[in-house]
Amino acid sequence: MSPAPSIGVLATGTCLPEGILTNDEVAEAAGVDPDWIVQRTGVLRRHIAGPDQAASDLAAEAVRKALTAAGLPASALGLLVLATSTPDELGPSTACRVQALVGADRAVAFDVAAACSGWLFAARVAHDWLRSGTGERYAAVVGVEVYSRFVDPSDRATAVLFADGAAATILGPVPGGTGFASIRLGSDGTAAGDVLIPAGGSRLPASPKTLADRRHKVHMDGKAVRDFILRIFPEVLGDALHRNGLRLSDVDLLISHQPNPLLLRRAAADAGVPEDRVVIIGHEVGNIGAASIPYALASADHDGRLRTGSRVLVTAFGAGLTWGSTVLTWTRARQHGAVPAPRTEAPRKEVAGTGAPRTGAPRAEAPEP
C-alpha cells in the first residue's frame, strides 16, 4: 500500500469587491474620529460588496482565479469546502452555490462554520480527505465574508473592523517533505457569546423585536476578544513549533488571522516573532474573517515573500471560540487575480485619505464598545 501523499497549496485566487469604505465614512456613522480608528486598529480602508453580490459570488470568483492559476478545470475538483460566518442563506451550504457557479459538478461541496478560524478548519478537512485514499486529487478551500450586511454602522466596536472579501486555495499533492504538517485545532464553547450574531437562527428567529433590537448584527465584547487573542496566540504558536521540532528562527513567515493589524503586531512582538516575518494585510482590507489567512497567503506569494521551501507558521483564532495552527512548507504555488501589493511595514500614522500627520504611538488593541 502506497503511503498517503503530502498535501499542499497549489494555487491561490482572491476577490475583493470594488466598493471602498473609507475611515472618514466609517467614523462619521460610528461617532468617532478617523484618527481614533487608525490609532486603535491600524485599519485604513475596507472593501464592501455591492447590493447584488453575496458571499457565493465573491467566493466563486476567487475559486475561478485559483483554478486558472493551477491550470485546472473545475471538473478536476473532488472537494469544495467553504468557510464563512456570513452565508448566502442558513441553508443550503453556500459551497453548493459556489459549486454551481464554477461548474465543479464532480466536487463534494459543504460549508465549515468556525468563524475567523474557518479556513484552517476547512483546510484540515480537505487535507485529511485528500490523504484518505478515496480517489479525490484536488480540493478548493475558500474563505469568504460579507460582513457589511451584518455590521451596525453605529457600533464602533465592529464597524471599524469588519469588511468583505474572499480568497481561495487549491490543495493537492506536493513533493514529500513539503505542504502541510499536522494541523492542530481547538474550541471553547463556553465563550461563544463573546462574538456572535444573536438572532436569525433557531434560538432567536427573526421577528419585529429582533429587528428593532438589531440582534441580526454582529455583537462583540472587544475587551474579551482582545484578551483571548493575546492569550491564545503564543499558545498556538508555541504548540506548532514544538510539534514540528522547530524554533522561531526556523520560520520564514508568520501568516495569521488578522482581527486588526495593530493587535496582530502586538501579539507577534510579545511572542518574539521578528516584525519582518509577519505578513500584515489587515490595514488594507480590514477584518475579512475566514478569508484573512488565505488572502495573506496570496498576498505574500504575490509580493515575492513566499518561495519554494519557505516555512510558514499559520495561526488562527476566532469566535466560538476557535483556534488552530500548522506549519506549511511552500511549494511552487501559483497566484492569479488582482492582489494589491501589500504594505508590510507598519501603517502610517495618518488619517486615511487626508495625509494629515499623526502623533503618538498607536494603541494595539481591539476597540471596545
Side-chain angles (χ1 to χ4, degrees):
M1 182 176 179
S2 60
S6 296
I7 301 298
V9 175
L10 304 182
T12 65
T14 64
C15 178
L16 296 177
E18 293 183 0
I20 299 291
L21 193 59
T22 68
N23 278 349
D24 287 339
E25 294 169 302
V26 173
E28 182 177 4
V32 298
D33 190 271
D35 172 65
W36 184 89
I37 298 174
V38 177
Q39 292 292 315
R40 296 294 287 265
T41 73
V43 176
L44 302 178
R45 64 177 189 173
R46 304 138 205 86
H47 289 258
I48 302 299
D52 59 342
Q53 289 180 308
S56 61
D57 299 308
L58 303 185
E61 183 63 15
V63 170
R64 290 189 195 101
K65 290 177 178 177
L67 284 167
T68 297
L72 294 172
S75 60
L77 293 177
L79 183 65
L80 195 162
V81 191
L82 183 144
T84 190
S85 300
T86 55
D88 286 20
E89 306 100 359
L90 288 178
S93 291
T94 299
C96 291
R97 298 287 192 192
V98 175
Q99 179 203 41
L101 288 169
V102 303
D105 56 355
R106 298 181 182 178
V108 177
F110 55 88
D111 289 358
V112 167
C116 297
S117 304
W119 179 84
L120 190 58
F121 275 61
R124 166 70 184 269
V125 172
H127 172 271
D128 293 358
W129 193 301
L130 294 178
R131 286 171 54 89
S132 68
T134 54
E136 294 83 4
R137 187 169 174 82
Y138 302 109
V141 180
V142 55
V144 60
E145 303 294 357
V146 184
Y147 279 132
S148 61
R149 308 283 163 75
F150 302 93
V151 168
D152 178 355
S154 66
D155 178 19
R156 70 180 190 179
T158 58
V160 303
L161 295 174
F162 292 102
D164 305 343
T169 49
I170 304 299
L171 270 56
V174 294
T178 65
F180 288 98
S182 61
I183 302 173
R184 179 76 64 87
L185 305 173
S187 305
D188 176 10
T190 64
D194 288 351
V195 192
L196 78 167
I197 300 174
S202 61
R203 184 170 299 280
L204 287 176
S207 69
K209 179 171 174 52
T210 63
L211 290 172
D213 292 343
R214 299 188 177 186
R215 304 291 281 173
H216 300 269
K217 304 297 184 181
V218 178
H219 289 239
M220 182 176 74
D221 181 337
K223 181 179 184 302
V225 170
R226 182 191 68 217
D227 292 347
F228 161 66
I229 291 170
L230 293 176
R231 173 180 62 81
I232 201 67
F233 182 85
E235 293 181 13
V236 297
L237 185 148
D239 180 62
L241 293 174
H242 176 73
R243 283 185 290 113
N244 291 280
L246 300 174
R247 297 170 297 180
L248 268 178
S249 58
D250 298 319
V251 173
D252 296 297
L253 285 180
L254 169 71
I255 286 184
S256 179
H257 169 58
Q258 314 214 353
N260 73 55
L262 295 184
L263 184 57
L264 176 57
R265 287 185 185 278
R266 173 180 169 183
D270 289 349
V273 183
E275 185 173 357
D276 62 357
R277 297 185 194 175
V278 183
V279 178
I280 300 291
I281 49 92
H283 52 300
E284 297 286 357
V285 299
N287 184 341
I288 52 176
S292 289
I293 290 175
Y295 187 87
L297 278 171
S299 183
D301 190 26
H302 178 269
D303 195 41
R305 301 184 71 187
L306 283 173
R307 298 177 176 84
T308 298
S310 292
R311 190 176 283 129
V312 184
L313 179 58
V314 180
T315 60
F317 32 82
L321 298 168
T322 59
W323 60 86
S325 63
T326 189
V327 173
L328 173 62
T329 301
W330 199 247
T331 51
R332 294 186 63 83
R334 289 156 289 183
Q335 182 272 333
H336 180 78
V339 178
R343 302 180 201 169
T344 53
E345 76 278 4
R348 294 183 59 177
K349 300 172 188 175
E350 62 183 37
V351 177
T354 68
R358 313 281 342 124
T359 58
R363 296 180 61 186
E365 55 187 66
E368 301 173 23

